[in-house]
Amino acid sequence: MLPLFEKYFKRRPPKETSSSKEETENNINRNTADMPPENKPKYSYYNCFHGCLATKPSLTQIQQIGETTTGTTAAATTTTRTTRSNFSKTTTSSLYPSNQFTNHESLPSMSDAFSIFLSVFPQYNGTQTADLIRRHQYCHLSTHACFDYSGIGLFSQAQMDSDFVTPSTSTDTIPPSRIKPPFFEIAYKSASLRSQVQSRIKDTTLEAEIRKRIMKLLSISDDEYSMVCTANRTTAFRLLAESYTFNPNNKLLTVYDYESEAVTAMTETSRKKGADVATANFTWPGLRINSTKLRKKLTQRKKKKGLFVFPLISKMTGTRYPYLWMKLAQDHGWHIALDACALGPKEMDTFGLSLIQPDFIICNFFKVFGGNPSGFAGLFVKKSSCDALERSSIARSIGIVNIVPARRFSYIGDDYSGTDLEPSQFLNMRNEEEDMETTSSFSGPIVTQNRENMSQEIGDVSKILEEERTQEIDREEEAAMEIECHGLDHANTLGLVLISTRLRCITNWLVVALSKLRHPNSTTGYYLVRIYGPRVKFDRGPGLAFNVFDWKGEKIDPSLVQKLGDRSGISLSCGFLKNILFENVYEGDEKNVLEKKEGDENDVGISVVNVSFGFLSSFEDAYKLWVFIAKFLDADFVEKEKWRYMALNQKMVEI
């Protein structure tokens, strides 16, 4: 597989031009011209952890710096690729080789830990452009470590702040020309997936402009795919299942090592339509795909196969799966749905859509990383695969949405997740003259009554045309808007090589660091943390699944770890690993490892803490998480936190 990958996807590192380097140096010199030499900051990670700048760089300056550092990072990554077989051995033997930390106070300081980190991963020094962007465009991340975001951010926090317009009263309407894209809303509409793919929407709306930016970032051709916006990832999966033509002998085959609300919605819908649902198995302890069983399921001799849902990476464990599984499925008559929600913003560049063109692609988008999780999902449908979709009256109410500019000042704060307001409150926030079914919920569609006699395809198309005519004025206003998606711009500036290098260094460092935590005075030698899935690996993904155990070897509830982390300014998520297969010598581990899911005794797996790194994550974030997890080495840490929480609440009550 590796020779095939290098043959088709190996990219030459961009050349570093002398003019761009000189221009960057001139910009830096201008910013520090009035400073005495001894006070001028040094722009190297070896000298300053934060890489401080005298003044805030513009987006253009950041792009210029990115051009010079990308070449360095690409060269470092190319060198690493030649010795990738030794990457694991070198990493584990160089990071604290003779250390076992039994107390959180014995951990090295962040500056010392960072120095050791750089000595093992010198290529990380070439990714400082990401820190410049993070510090000046995402200031909120300086006090909070976010490990619970999955998807692609559209905007930056600085953009949200600078574009913020305050009305004089709570009832004033902001002119559309003064509203920038971060303040968009989603408007639900009654339409089928097939009609959305077949109809051509003019590229003059806010949605069309954002759609073009997204497709350009993901390297998806508008000539081959149509993008349909849905309320969220779960809605996209349910919509696809409801719209896909499942014949009695068709199958739905998924490849997930964890429980997913979106996949559950898809399987339930598919079963109702008569599909035979199957899933891949993952072999313990590495949680790799059981190739023998999956190959057998894909190559069964049947004329009509069905839908194969495949993620290139496990969001939970960080395991990467060979894309050639999709090629095998295509060769045996399956339709392919690629789940790209766990991929980074530039990882689609490695995929090569010209070789393997999935019939469907699902991506997830949010407004601001670490700030505003509201957003939407994109369901990309290959135009030549439209015949695989059927007419469905149920699909009309599932959650296809339009992206529209906010008509009124948003009463919703940046911490809004779309679950706190009633439908009536959403409807009051929209203009009464709009005739589309409209809400602002980002957590899922609000079901409305279906109109009669609207299940036919011609009705769907006429409805869309009617909605387009009623929004003609809105489009004229939107056409004058300048569409700026700084989140997408930042991902483009950094590029695939830099982002991959950065995440590889941080993730593998954290894996080793967590494995060095061990309970003191333990006769059985219990480690504090158990990691599930791949350990140190050159091409592991930025996801990490683990559990924390006390000195007796008993697992600490992942939800408790999540809550305590939130109090420490660390956002974690929880998950449930499943579809695990125990073979040969590991058959005896099944009873000790698996647990029954709360509320469903027939569903067994492993509840875990989940960490997901984004391209804006930093070493400081990983170090902060390491220090927090190390506090569980104190046998009384959990009890102390409980008493502390109760004391704080009591004090608040007395006040």
Side-chain angles (χ1 to χ4, degrees):
M1 183 182 70
L2 183 58
L4 179 63
F5 178 88
E6 292 181 342
K7 177 180 179 181
Y8 289 105
F9 302 128
K10 189 173 182 181
R11 300 164 65 96
R12 294 181 179 178
K15 295 182 179 179
E16 180 180 9
T17 62
S18 58
S19 59
S20 63
K21 182 176 181 180
E22 181 180 357
E23 187 174 357
T24 300
E25 293 176 350
N26 291 337
N27 287 332
I28 295 175
N29 292 334
R30 283 196 298 270
N31 290 335
T32 60
D34 298 331
M35 299 177 63
E38 62 273 14
N39 292 339
K40 289 188 178 183
K42 307 297 182 183
Y43 303 96
S44 172
Y45 258 92
Y46 290 104
N47 297 300
C48 176
F49 177 80
H50 296 289
C52 303
L53 282 178
T55 59
K56 175 180 176 180
S58 64
L59 181 60
T60 302
Q61 287 176 286
I62 290 174
Q63 291 171 337
Q64 293 169 346
I65 297 174
E67 292 175 359
T68 61
T69 58
T70 299
T72 303
T73 306
T77 304
T78 303
T79 303
T80 304
R81 186 179 293 113
T82 61
T83 59
R84 60 187 302 164
S85 61
N86 297 323
F87 178 83
S88 176
K89 181 179 179 180
T90 302
T91 301
T92 53
S93 62
S94 302
L95 287 172
Y96 315 110
S98 58
N99 293 83
Q100 293 288 342
F101 301 102
T102 59
N103 189 306
H104 73 278
E105 295 180 352
S106 66
L107 299 183
S109 64
M110 186 168 69
S111 59
D112 291 341
F114 188 66
S115 297
I116 297 173
F117 172 79
L118 283 178
S119 67
V120 179
F121 304 108
Q123 62 270 35
Y124 184 85
N125 193 60
T127 70
Q128 59 181 312
T129 311
D131 292 279
L132 297 178
I133 292 175
R134 171 187 166 117
R135 184 167 58 259
H136 296 296
Q137 296 291 322
Y138 303 85
C139 297
H140 60 292
L141 298 178
S142 62
T143 58
H144 198 88
C146 298
F147 300 107
D148 57 345
Y149 276 69
S150 179
I152 299 174
L154 298 173
F155 312 109
S156 69
Q157 186 61 45
Q159 183 182 8
M160 296 284 286
D161 295 339
S162 63
D163 291 343
F164 182 77
V165 182
T166 305
S168 57
T169 67
S170 60
T171 59
D172 284 350
T173 300
I174 302 175
S177 59
R178 298 181 62 193
I179 301 175
K180 296 294 180 68
F183 300 100
F184 68 74
E185 294 177 351
I186 61 173
Y188 288 95
K189 62 181 180 181
S190 178
S192 71
L193 179 58
R194 179 166 179 167
S195 65
Q196 287 294 105
V197 175
Q198 291 178 332
S199 65
R200 289 294 301 170
I201 302 176
K202 295 181 180 180
D203 293 336
T204 56
T205 64
L206 171 64
E207 178 180 336
E209 292 300 317
I210 293 180
R211 184 170 61 248
K212 286 197 298 185
R213 290 295 312 275
I214 289 173
M215 297 184 76
K216 182 179 180 180
L217 176 79
L218 300 179
S219 303
I220 298 177
S221 172
D222 184 52
D223 295 331
E224 297 176 345
Y225 287 87
S226 292
M227 177 181 172
V228 177
C229 296
T230 66
N232 52 37
R233 178 172 179 257
T234 300
T235 301
F237 273 70
R238 182 184 290 115
L239 177 64
L240 178 57
E242 186 61 50
S243 303
Y244 184 77
T245 305
F246 279 112
N247 294 319
N249 294 327
N250 278 11
K251 283 189 175 183
L252 171 68
L253 178 57
T254 62
V255 184
Y256 290 87
D257 60 0
Y258 65 97
E259 184 177 69
S260 167
E261 180 183 353
V263 178
T264 300
M266 171 176 274
T267 55
E268 291 177 351
T269 301
S270 302
R271 282 197 181 99
K272 292 179 181 178
K273 298 183 66 177
D276 181 11
V277 177
T279 183
N281 297 107
F282 302 86
T283 306
W284 179 265
L287 297 184
R288 299 182 180 90
I289 293 176
N290 188 292
S291 300
T292 302
K293 292 183 178 294
L294 181 56
R295 186 178 296 107
K296 183 178 179 181
K297 293 175 181 178
L298 287 174
T299 58
Q300 288 179 343
R301 295 183 178 179
K302 289 186 178 181
K303 293 183 179 180
K304 297 181 179 179
K305 296 299 177 62
L307 184 63
F308 180 54
V309 185
F310 185 80
L312 283 173
I313 183 174
S314 169
K315 169 185 175 294
M316 197 64 55
T317 63
T319 306
R320 292 190 184 274
Y321 308 129
Y323 60 86
L324 294 182
W325 282 115
M326 287 186 287
K327 179 60 176 174
L328 178 65
Q330 279 184 333
D331 291 343
H332 287 81
W334 293 82
H335 285 109
I336 310 297
L338 171 62
D339 179 5
C341 294
L343 294 179
K346 296 296 292 181
E347 287 192 88
M348 286 292 288
D349 288 356
T350 68
F351 177 59
L353 287 176
S354 60
L355 291 179
I356 303 176
Q357 292 187 324
D359 302 280
F360 313 99
I361 304 174
I362 300 176
C363 296
N364 192 45
F365 305 94
F366 51 82
K367 288 187 177 180
V368 180
F369 176 77
N372 192 331
S374 61
F376 57 91
L379 175 54
F380 301 86
V381 180
K382 188 179 178 182
K383 294 178 181 179
S384 60
S385 302
C386 189
D387 290 340
L389 304 176
E390 64 181 3
R391 302 180 180 92
S392 172
S393 59
I394 298 178
R396 297 175 57 84
S397 61
I398 287 182
I400 295 178
V401 300
N402 279 133
I403 302 174
V404 297
R407 283 300 178 183
R408 291 183 180 272
F409 170 70
S410 176
Y411 306 104
I412 305 175
D414 287 346
D415 58 348
Y416 165 67
S417 62
T419 58
D420 300 323
L421 302 181
E422 296 297 328
S424 58
Q425 293 175 279
F426 289 122
L427 294 175
N428 290 335
M429 295 172 63
R430 298 286 296 156
N431 285 346
E432 295 180 358
E433 63 267 24
E434 293 186 357
D435 59 358
M436 290 193 302
E437 301 170 47
T438 305
T439 68
S440 296
S441 171
F442 295 95
S443 60
I446 297 175
V447 180
T448 57
Q449 293 183 352
N450 295 327
R451 298 180 182 179
E452 296 181 357
N453 302 323
M454 293 292 288
S455 60
Q456 297 298 320
E457 199 69 24
I458 186 172
D460 292 337
V461 175
S462 62
K463 175 63 177 177
I464 293 173
L465 295 176
E466 179 183 353
E467 290 175 345
E468 291 180 358
R469 287 194 297 270
T470 57
Q471 298 177 54
E472 183 177 355
I473 297 178
D474 290 347
R475 288 178 182 156
E476 292 177 357
E477 295 172 342
E478 293 172 31
M481 300 175 69
E482 182 180 357
I483 307 301
E484 295 181 350
C485 300
H486 287 181
L488 304 184
D489 293 334
H490 295 153
N492 268 325
T493 298
L494 298 178
L496 172 66
V497 175
L498 188 148
I499 294 174
S500 299
T501 299
R502 183 178 180 85
L503 294 181
R504 181 184 304 115
C505 298
I506 297 174
T507 307
N508 283 290
W509 175 88
L510 181 62
V511 170
V512 175
L514 291 176
S515 67
K516 296 295 181 178
L517 303 178
R518 191 165 185 171
H519 283 289
N521 305 321
S522 176
T523 57
T524 54
Y526 285 122
Y527 284 92
L528 178 67
V529 175
R530 180 168 192 173
I531 297 174
Y532 304 93
R535 304 297 199 273
V536 176
K537 195 173 181 181
F538 181 85
D539 59 349
R540 85 177 322 282
L544 194 65
F546 66 93
N547 272 317
V548 181
F549 294 83
D550 62 20
W551 65 277
K552 298 178 182 179
E554 297 179 359
K555 185 174 75 174
I556 299 175
D557 187 355
S559 62
L560 178 59
V561 177
Q562 181 187 30
K563 292 177 182 177
L564 294 178
D566 190 58
R567 296 184 199 171
S568 300
I570 300 173
S571 295
L572 302 169
S573 60
C574 295
F576 192 74
L577 300 177
K578 56 189 304 184
N579 303 322
I580 303 174
L581 182 64
F582 295 82
E583 292 183 325
N584 303 326
V585 296
Y586 297 105
E587 291 181 355
D589 295 345
E590 184 172 357
K591 294 182 179 179
N592 298 326
V593 173
L594 298 183
E595 60 193 68
K596 295 180 180 179
K597 183 183 177 183
E598 184 177 354
D600 188 356
E601 295 185 353
N602 296 323
D603 197 359
V604 295
I606 309 172
S607 57
V608 296
V609 180
N610 179 234
V611 168
S612 294
F613 288 100
F615 78 91
L616 290 170
S617 298
S618 66
F619 173 82
E620 186 177 1
D621 293 335
Y623 178 84
K624 184 183 295 185
L625 176 61
W626 188 38
V627 172
F628 164 70
I629 296 298
K631 292 181 180 179
F632 287 89
L633 290 170
D634 181 356
D636 298 324
F637 171 66
V638 175
E639 289 299 322
K640 289 177 182 177
E641 286 297 306
K642 288 181 179 179
W643 282 106
R644 177 174 171 270
Y645 181 72
M646 292 177 61
L648 289 175
N649 282 351
Q650 183 64 34
K651 183 177 181 180
M652 292 173 63
V653 171
E654 291 176 352
I655 291 176

